[in-house]
């Protein structure tokens, strides 16, 4: 041998691995020169490398752990000295030691280990893996060497052995101390850190670092604070950057490729692999090692059975003890089976951990990428609804995560199948390849099923998207749906999608999945049957126990990859569909990057140019033929105030969108210098505190903040809030009035102190005198922003005189531009006509009133600049020329602790039996019982088939041939066929019968309870939380729960069959069942206590990601305008990280459990094998019996683990049912219909409304908002309602519609108490035009008449009355023209007019107008006022809640509200005649007091 060139063997047996002299032993040269030398050489080299890499690192504090270091060094020193002593003896006995060089190598390696111990202890935070692995292996090698030395009976090596024992003993002591770790002082900075950073290799392998959390989980409920933080590499910002970088690299090579769509799909796959594939490749290697070890067990079983047969035969042969098989051989095979099982367990769980972690990284990276993309999505792509994009996050990203978990089985499966057939060939010869033929035939069947499943899944995703979109729209417009009583229409639309499309498809998917699983469970049985039959017929060798039982073990192992293959196939199909959808989104067109040139880091002086637009054309769509805005020229300087006027749909808002970069620039140039602030026409309010909404992640400067609050007339509103400006407002600011929302959005823009402030009709939602207050103190020449550039879109003409420049837009073209004086001087100018046509300059702008005790009275000349007395704010302004810009706060991101107005419901402890009971009842108790019976019967048939083989093997052993095989084959074949058929029946019962029923029942009952919930429920519950229930939780009920219940039932049946088979064959085993059963149930309780809470924390921490996402999507323009994309991304990262902190322990806890259960399984194998060998030596035992017992014992490891895992998966996923059931228990509002109290068909005939001592509150815990209101409104009377913010105007409206119920008193309409009739009867009898116009995705016809009860002629008449006929006739599809989600394809004014047309169509006797024309221009407003006061509404009772006081000057009477009570009620003329009246004060401020 090559080794003899430099290493000489001094033993007669030479280098052979196996000794020819001794039974079951190896040669001394092999042991010393190969085994021990390899271990010592590895230690020397690895220690040297490690010492060189660590010695340069800084020394860590070791004050507390110094004694540990000295103990380790002392132990290793003594061990090294013992080794040096051995070397001395070896030199003396040169010719008597087998390999002299090994005695030189040992002290050298141990000396290097001393150096490694020192540097590792002083510079690292965890034990040395090299030393921890070396000592157990070296001690095992030494024990084999010692046995050999003892067997050779050499008399002169006793001292050598003694010194070896000293070396080994002290080495073992150093190993034990090394296991304790460096034992360093706990650094306060690292007090709360990920325990894996300090865990040693055994702790990582056996997941012992999880034990403290498990102990805490059994003692108390786990909370987020108990969980370890993420490692830096797993933080979403780093994961997102990794994916982004690899995506850019991949896409750059395809940018010029015509087939970008097809390439982009493979690009995403590649990018994901480049970003996260490293640990996944390691997982693949571990999985392959585990597969090889799994197939080693049947070979070891065969060796043991052959050993038993040999030993039994030797017992009856006249031979010496030396020639008999060694007793140690049997025990060694049992030991090797145990070690192989342990190593297999470690590799399997390390593989799973890496696969799950990769899945988590993929999901986090994708969610980050989706969020980042959504922030830059172009308008062409905004046709995707927010529901679709949420689905990409909740479903598609999760599908790719699921693929990572089991995807490697697509590689591992074929390897396992190959190994199985190689092993089977060794057992059965060529007969095994009959099975290969069956496998090959089954592949095209599986492929065609996979193709069918893929098509079904693609269609199902579209169905789910459609339903999610409908749900998203329903939640966005819930207030309108309730006011118009359209619940049934929306229920019909959603159930049409759910029942006729989604559930129909689910049934098809269920049938195909059931057939697929039956096919794959049947194939191993068919393969086994055909292989045994062929072997029996063609082979002369009898099929005995040592062939049949290893073959059965192999067939059992074959069953797993084949059974999983169907699941993995469907996972891959789902993932391919998801990747297509994700690729389409991630490669979608983005906002034009150069739509504007932004120069941010400039220091601007007064009168410097801030905005320049030269000859620019803009369009919303890059594909549009005609531009939306054409030939725009605009120059705005710092300190300049610019007004933009125009009719509805002229392009006013579009111009602001062009400035903030939301539109596509086709020609010209746009230059913006400095920072931008923006207040949109529909105020965007976040689900956060009032202060957070105003600061918008800028630093809090108390003095300026208070000035902004005063200037925006918010002081009194904040004083009324329960917690002042720290009061949380609901999603979209749902708890605030329209005026409060507008002023908070304005305050946000003001607080930013940007160089350019864009205000889109922000004063339309507030009362006239507040508009003046805000204008004077914020926007006007003496306002807070007077030194900044301001552009105000307005439909009012009250303050035109104070603007530096006025722009009039018509059909996307700047028609007129100039100063007020220049434009008014020319009578042909549009601005001049507008001013003259609408009387005094102040008669128009209506706006919410601040809640002040003594309203400030303006000077008589309302056209002058401001209040007669200079306010404190103005004085401060004189002292400071211009306020410095607001700075972004250091931790600018929005706090995650903000959970909205209500915390998400979270159960604690074990899932109640009531939840399981409800689920089974909704799924059908009879169907579920039959499913369980079929599953148990399937397993029983499988057991009978196995027992048939055992008796056949015994028969062949006795006869020495395969005679009489046909009856055994027939019985085996029939039992196997029955098993497959029963499997198919149980799958179809579960998927088609039970799942469909539960899916329908749970979804429908949740939808029904949701729509019957009062409006206050929606104000308190974020949309994202409800959407999560209808997307993720319904998906679990539809497709995941059935799979995990099926898995649990099957594994329970398998465990039951194992216990029965082993118990019947080896009754002593039943004694062990009782303690084992107790241990398993204890472990399950121990594990579930922690696992359950972790899963709940994971579910609860996932909702805020969706909530934040939905919220961000609705405020994209504001986020982009303020240039805060990075801050919103940071908040998104923080929420994802919070979810990952909850998710990571929930996967590690499964590994912690699995490794312990599988260890017990390995112990069962060891004990069973040891008992078998002991019985063999003492009394003799039958190989067939041992084979049967051990082949099933080998299966216990995985089966018992799968039971606990499946039980846990069921409980974790049943949480979705628990959440759905909780939603169904929401307290409903009053019944929609009360048949016994149904009013007449034509009710109300007159429209007479009486409030009688009426009081109400929004929720039981809040104060009264209406107090003892009594008023009688005559039939056909026109009533105007006004008052300050918080006076109760909107509450009066909500009371009329019974959105809030009375605490005392009553409301009568035509003498009927409205609390006595159904809500639909009431709400369908009253018409309303709400302040916020809600539109739905669909056609214009659907939006005007969702119930489909009016003719086209009626609709056209209504549209003509609201001046929209011409516009809609001009659209390509007329009434069938599409309306985008939220009506985003129409301007705000057009949306309001469309809502007005609904009320005109209804022709009710009572009409409520809630500032119905705030977003329309003055000419359109005037025309609508004429219609309201015209003949069509002569006999209609009209209640107008007014912000523009001129709209109620023609009312019969005006009702003034104050603090929830009626303050004044009289005709406008009488109230104006009284200078002391509140109405007079309001009118005077609005410039109307003299016009009545």
């Amino acid at each position: 041998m090559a080794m003899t060139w430099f290493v000489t063997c001094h033993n007669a047996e030479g280098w052979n691995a196996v000794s020819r002299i001794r039974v079951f032993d190896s040669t001394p040269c092999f042991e010393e020169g190969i085994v021990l030398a390899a271990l010592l050489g590895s230690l020397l080299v690895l220690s040297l490398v490690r010492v060189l890499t660590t010695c340069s690192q800084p020394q860590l504090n070791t004050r507390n752990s110094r004694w540990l270091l000295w103990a380790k060094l002392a132990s290793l020193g003594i061990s090294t000295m013992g080794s040096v002593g051995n070397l001395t003896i070896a030199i003396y006995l040169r010719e008597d030691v087998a390999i002299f060089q090994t005695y030189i190598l040992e002290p050298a390696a141990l000396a290097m280990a001393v150096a490694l111990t020192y540097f590792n202890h002083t510079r690292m935070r965890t034990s040395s893996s090299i030393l921890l692995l070396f000592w157990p292996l070296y001690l095992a090698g030494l024990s084999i060497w010692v046995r050999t030395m003892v067997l050779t009976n050499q008399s002169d090596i006793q001292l050598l052995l003694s010194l070896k024992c000293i070396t080994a003993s002290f080495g073992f002591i150093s190993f034990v101390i090394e296991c304790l770790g460096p034992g360093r002082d706990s650094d306060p900075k690292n007090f709360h850190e990920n325990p894996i950073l300090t865990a040693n290799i055994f702790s990582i392998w056996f997941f012992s670092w999880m034990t403290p959390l498990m102990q805490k989980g059994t003692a108390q409920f786990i909370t987020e604070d108990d969980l370890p933080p993420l490692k830096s590499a797993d933080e979403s910002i780093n994961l997102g950057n990794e994916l982004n970088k690899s995506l850019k690299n991949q896409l750059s090579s395809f940018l010029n490729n015509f087939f970008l769509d097809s390439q982009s799909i493979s690009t995403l796959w590649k990018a994901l692999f480049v970003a996260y594939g490293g640990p996944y490749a390691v997982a693949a290697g571990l999985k392959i090692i585990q597969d090889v070890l799994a197939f080693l067990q049947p070979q070891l079983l065969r060796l043991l059975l052959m050993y038993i047969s040999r030993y039994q035969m030797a017992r009856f042969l006249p031979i010496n003890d030396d020639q008999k098989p060694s007793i140690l051989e049997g025990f060694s095979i049992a030991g090797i089976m145990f070690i192989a099982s342990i190593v297999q367990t470690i590799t399997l769980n390390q593989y799973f951990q890496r696969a799950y972690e990769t899945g988590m990284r993929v999901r986090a990276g994708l969610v980050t990428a989706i969020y980042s993309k959504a922030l830059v999505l172009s308008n062409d792509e905004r046709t995707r609804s927010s529901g679709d994009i949420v689905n990409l996050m909740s479903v598609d990203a999760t599908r790719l995560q699921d693929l990572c978990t089991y995807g490697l089985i697509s590689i591992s499966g074929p390897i396992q199948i190959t190994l199985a057939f190689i092993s089977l060939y060794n057992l059965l010869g060529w007969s095994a390849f009959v099975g290969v033929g069956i496998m090959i035939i089954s592949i095209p069947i599986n492929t065609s099923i996979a193709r069918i499943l893929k098509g079904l899944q693609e269609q199902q995703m579209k169905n789910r998207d459609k339903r999610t979109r409908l749900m998203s729209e329903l939640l966005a417009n819930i207030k309108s749906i309730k006011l118009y009583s359209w619940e049934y229409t929306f229920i019909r639309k959603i159930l049409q999608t759910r029942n006729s499309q989604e559930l129909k498809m689910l049934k098809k998917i269920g049938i195909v999945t059931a057939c697929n699983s039956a096919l794959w469970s049947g194939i191993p049985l068919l393969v086994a049957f055909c292989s045994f039959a062929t072997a029996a017929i063609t082979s002369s060798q009898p099929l005995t126990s040592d062939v049949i039982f290893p073959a059965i073990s192999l067939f059992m192992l074959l069953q797993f990859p084949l059974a999983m293959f169907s699941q993995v196939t469907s996972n891959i199909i789902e993932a391919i569909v998801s990747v297509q959808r994700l690729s389409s989104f991630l490669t979608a067109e983005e906002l034009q990057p150069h739509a504007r040139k932004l120069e941010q880091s400039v220091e601007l002086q007064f009168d410097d140019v801030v905005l320049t637009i030269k000859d620019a054309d803009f369009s919303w769509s890059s594909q549009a033929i005609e531009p939306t805005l054409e030939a725009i020229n605009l120059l705005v300087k710092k300190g300049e105030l610019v007004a933009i006027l125009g009719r509805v749909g002229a392009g006013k808002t579009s111009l602001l969108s062009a400035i903030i970069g939301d539109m596509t620039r086709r020609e010209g140039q746009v230059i913006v210098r400095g920072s931008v602030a923006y207040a949109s026409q529909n105020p965007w309010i976040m689900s956060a505190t009032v202060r957070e909404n105003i600061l918008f992640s800028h630093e809090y400067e108390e003095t300026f903040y208070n000035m902004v609050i005063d200037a925006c007339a918010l002081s009194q509103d904040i004083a009324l809030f329960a917690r002042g400006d720290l009061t949380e407002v609901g999603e979209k600011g749902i708890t605030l009035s329209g005026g409060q929302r507008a002023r908070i959005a304005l305050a946000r823009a003001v607080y930013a102190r940007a160089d350019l402030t864009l205000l889109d009709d922000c004063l339309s939602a507030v009362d006239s005198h507040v508009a003046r207050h805000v204008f004077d103190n914020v926007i006007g020449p003496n306002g807070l922003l007077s030194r900044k550039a301001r552009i105000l879109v307005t439909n009012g003409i009250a303050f035109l005189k104070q603007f530096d420049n006025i722009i009039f837009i018509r059909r996307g073209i700047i028609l007129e531009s100039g100063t007020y004086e220049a434009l008014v001087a020319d009578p042909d100018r549009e601005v001049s006509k507008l001013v003259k046509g609408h009387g005094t300059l102040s008669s128009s702008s209506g706006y919410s009133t601040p809640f002040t005790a003594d309203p400030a009275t303006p000077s008589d000349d309302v056209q002058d600049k401001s209040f007669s007395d200079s306010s404190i704010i103005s004085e401060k302004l004189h002292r400071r020329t211009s306020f410095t810009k607001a700075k972004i706060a250091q931790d600018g991101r929005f706090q995650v602790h903000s959970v909205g107005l209500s915390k998400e419901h979270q159960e604690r402890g074990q899932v109640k039996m009531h939840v399981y009971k409800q689920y089974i009842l909704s799924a059908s108790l009879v169907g579920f019982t039959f499913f369980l019976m079929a599953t148990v019967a399937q397993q029983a048939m499988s057991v009978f088939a196995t027992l048939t083989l055992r008796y056949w093997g015994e028969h062949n052993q006795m006869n020495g041939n395969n005679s009489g095989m046909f009856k055994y084959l027939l019985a085996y074949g029939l039992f196997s066929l029955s098993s497959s058929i029963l499997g198919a029946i149980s799958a179809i019962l579960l998927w088609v019968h039970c799942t469909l029923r539960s899916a329908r029942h749970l979804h429908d009952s949740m939808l029904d309870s949701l729509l019957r919930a009062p409006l206050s429920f929606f104000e308190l519950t974020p949309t994202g939380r409800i959407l999560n229930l209808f997307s993720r939780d319904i998906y679990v009920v539809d497709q995941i729960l059935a799979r995990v219940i099926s898995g649990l039932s099957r594994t329970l049946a398998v465990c039951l069959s194992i216990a029965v088979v082993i118990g019947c064959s080896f009754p002593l085993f039943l004694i062990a069942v009782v303690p084992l059963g107790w241990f398993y149930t204890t472990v399950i309780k121990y594990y579930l206590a922690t696992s359950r809470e972790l899963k709940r924390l994971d579910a609860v921490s996932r909702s805020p990601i969706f909530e934040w996402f939905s919220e961000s999507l609705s405020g994209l323009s504001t986020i982009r305008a303020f240039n805060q994309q990075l801050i919103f991304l940071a908040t998104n990262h923080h929420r994802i990280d919070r979810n990952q902190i909850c998710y990571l322990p929930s996967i590690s806890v499964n590994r912690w459990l699995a490794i312990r259960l599988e260890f017990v399984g390995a112990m069962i194998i060891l004990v069973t094998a040891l008992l078998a060998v002991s019985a063999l030596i003492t009394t003799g035992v039958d190989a067939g019996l041992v084979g049967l017992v051990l082949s099933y014992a080998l299966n216990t490891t995985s089966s018992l683990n799968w039971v606990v895992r499946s039980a846990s998966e069921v409980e974790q996923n049943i949480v979705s049912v628990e959440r759905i059931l909780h939603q169904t228990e929401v307290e409903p509002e009053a019944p929609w219909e009360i048949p016994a109290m149904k009013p007449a068909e034509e009710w109300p005939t007159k429209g007479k409304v009486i409030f009688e001592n009426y009081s109400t509150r929004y929720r039981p815990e809040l104060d009264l908002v209406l107090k003892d209101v009594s008023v009688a409104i005559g039939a056909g009377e026109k009533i105007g309602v006004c008052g300050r913010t918080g006076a109760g105007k909107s509450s009066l409206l909500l009371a009329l519609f019974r959105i809030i119920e009375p605490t005392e008193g009553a409301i009568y309409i035509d003498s009927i108490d409205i609390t006595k009739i159904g809500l639909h009867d009431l709400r369908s009898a009253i018409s309303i035009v709400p302040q916020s116009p809600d539109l739905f995705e669909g056609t214009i016809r659907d939006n005007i008449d969702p119930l489909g009860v009016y003719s086209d002629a009626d609709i056209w008449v209504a549209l003509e009355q609201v001046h929209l006929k011409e516009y809609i006739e001009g659209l390509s599809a007329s009434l069938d023209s599409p309306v985008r989600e939220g009506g985003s394809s129409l301007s705000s004014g057009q949306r309001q007019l469309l809502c007005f047309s609904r009320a005109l169509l209804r022709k009710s006797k009572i009409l409520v107008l809630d500032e119905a024309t705030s977003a329309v221009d003055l000419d359109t407003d005037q025309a609508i006022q004429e219609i309201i006061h015209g003949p069509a509404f002569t006999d209609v009772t009209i209640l107008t809640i007014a912000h523009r006081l001129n709209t109620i000057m023609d009312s019969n009477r005006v009702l003034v509200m104050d603090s929830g009570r009626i303050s004044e009620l009289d005709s406008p003329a009488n109230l104006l005649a009284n200078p002391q009246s509140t109405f007079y004060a309001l009118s005077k401020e609005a410039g109307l007091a003299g016009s009545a």
Side-chain angles (χ1 to χ4, degrees), residues 1034-1048:
I1034 286 293
Y1035 170 67
V1036 167
V1037 169
D1038 284 357
Q1039 290 193 306
I1040 292 177
L1041 214 47
R1043 179 168 56 76
V1044 295
I1045 286 171
S1046 168
L1048 176 62

Side-chain angles (χ1 to χ4, degrees), residues 1307-1321:
I1307 301 173
Y1308 297 92
I1309 295 178
D1310 283 5
S1311 307
I1312 290 181
D1313 183 348
I1314 63 168
T1315 57
K1316 299 289 193 287
I1317 61 173
L1319 291 178
H1320 277 188
D1321 291 328

Side-chain angles (χ1 to χ4, degrees), residues 905-1214:
H905 170 75
Q906 183 186 348
E907 292 281 354
R908 284 198 148 178
Q910 200 169 344
V911 175
K912 310 288 186 294
M913 282 310 296
H914 151 79
V915 176
Y916 292 100
K917 188 178 170 187
Q918 285 294 111
Y919 178 72
I920 291 168
L921 288 174
S922 67
S924 156
L925 184 59
V926 176
F928 206 77
T929 308
F930 277 114
F931 156 72
L932 289 175
M933 285 165 65
T935 306
V936 172
Q938 175 198 8
Q939 204 52 47
M941 292 298 119
S942 179
V943 169
F944 288 141
T946 311
L947 286 171
T948 305
L949 289 177
R950 183 205 164 181
Y951 293 124
W952 185 22
E954 285 181 5
H955 169 82
N956 290 349
Q957 186 89 43
M958 285 169 64
N959 293 348
N961 57 40
N962 291 323
S963 61
M965 62 180 147
F966 287 106
K967 64 176 180 182
Y968 291 107
L969 278 173
L970 180 66
Y972 179 63
L974 286 173
F975 284 136
S976 298
L977 182 65
S978 305
S979 175
S980 290
I981 291 168
L982 284 164
I985 290 168
S986 71
I988 284 174
L989 274 170
L990 183 66
W991 278 102
V992 179
H993 185 68
C994 299
T995 301
L996 269 181
R997 282 174 64 106
S998 66
R1000 184 191 297 267
H1001 178 266
L1002 289 169
H1003 175 273
D1004 292 1
S1005 56
M1006 179 162 72
L1007 179 64
D1008 185 62
S1009 78
L1010 182 79
L1011 280 169
R1012 288 183 184 275
L1015 196 63
S1016 58
F1017 168 79
F1018 298 93
E1019 291 172 352
L1020 294 170
T1021 313
T1023 304
R1025 193 181 298 169
I1026 300 171
L1027 271 181
N1028 198 18
L1029 279 169
F1030 277 91
S1031 61
R1032 175 69 193 161
D1033 291 311
I1034 286 293
Y1035 170 67
V1036 167
V1037 169
D1038 284 357
Q1039 290 193 306
I1040 292 177
L1041 214 47
R1043 179 168 56 76
V1044 295
I1045 286 171
S1046 168
L1048 176 62
S1049 308
R1050 194 170 58 248
T1051 48
L1052 273 172
V1054 168
C1055 284
L1056 184 67
S1057 69
I1058 289 170
V1060 168
V1061 168
I1062 299 178
C1064 292
S1065 308
F1066 200 173
L1068 280 173
F1069 174 79
L1070 292 174
I1071 298 168
V1073 167
V1074 177
L1076 278 175
W1078 172 83
F1079 175 79
Y1080 271 90
T1081 51
T1082 308
V1083 165
I1084 289 170
K1085 283 179 190 169
Y1086 194 80
Y1087 156 78
L1088 285 182
T1090 308
S1091 168
R1092 184 192 304 123
E1093 294 310 314
L1094 288 172
K1095 189 70 180 177
R1096 282 182 179 143
L1097 286 172
D1098 175 37
V1100 168
S1101 64
R1102 192 184 284 122
S1103 288
I1105 299 172
F1106 303 129
E1107 287 165 16
W1108 184 248
F1109 193 66
S1110 303
E1111 200 159 63
S1112 302
L1113 284 176
S1114 60
L1116 280 178
S1117 295
T1118 305
I1119 297 165
R1120 290 169 184 164
F1122 279 86
N1123 204 23
Q1124 289 209 1
Q1125 294 95 319
L1126 289 176
I1127 289 166
F1128 275 72
L1129 275 169
T1131 307
N1132 186 54
H1133 291 318
H1134 197 59
R1135 293 191 178 210
I1136 295 169
D1137 288 345
R1138 177 182 167 223
N1139 177 236
Q1140 295 197 153
I1141 284 169
C1142 299
Y1143 175 76
L1144 258 178
S1146 74
I1147 58 174
S1148 301
V1149 83
N1150 286 334
R1151 309 277 65 81
W1152 179 93
L1153 169 85
I1155 209 131
R1156 279 148 186 78
L1157 291 189
E1158 288 173 24
F1159 177 76
V1160 174
M1163 288 299 295
I1164 292 171
I1165 295 169
L1166 179 66
V1167 170
T1168 312
L1170 291 176
L1171 285 173
V1173 174
S1174 303
L1176 174 71
I1177 294 160
T1178 52
T1179 59
V1181 71
D1182 175 40
L1185 185 67
V1186 175
L1188 185 74
V1189 169
L1190 272 176
S1191 67
Y1192 270 90
L1194 283 171
N1195 219 23
T1196 55
T1197 310
S1198 59
S1199 295
L1200 289 169
N1201 183 30
W1202 275 106
V1203 164
V1204 181
R1205 284 281 312 285
S1206 302
S1208 165
E1209 269 199 310
V1210 168
E1211 189 175 48
Q1212 286 169 0
N1213 285 293
I1214 205 84

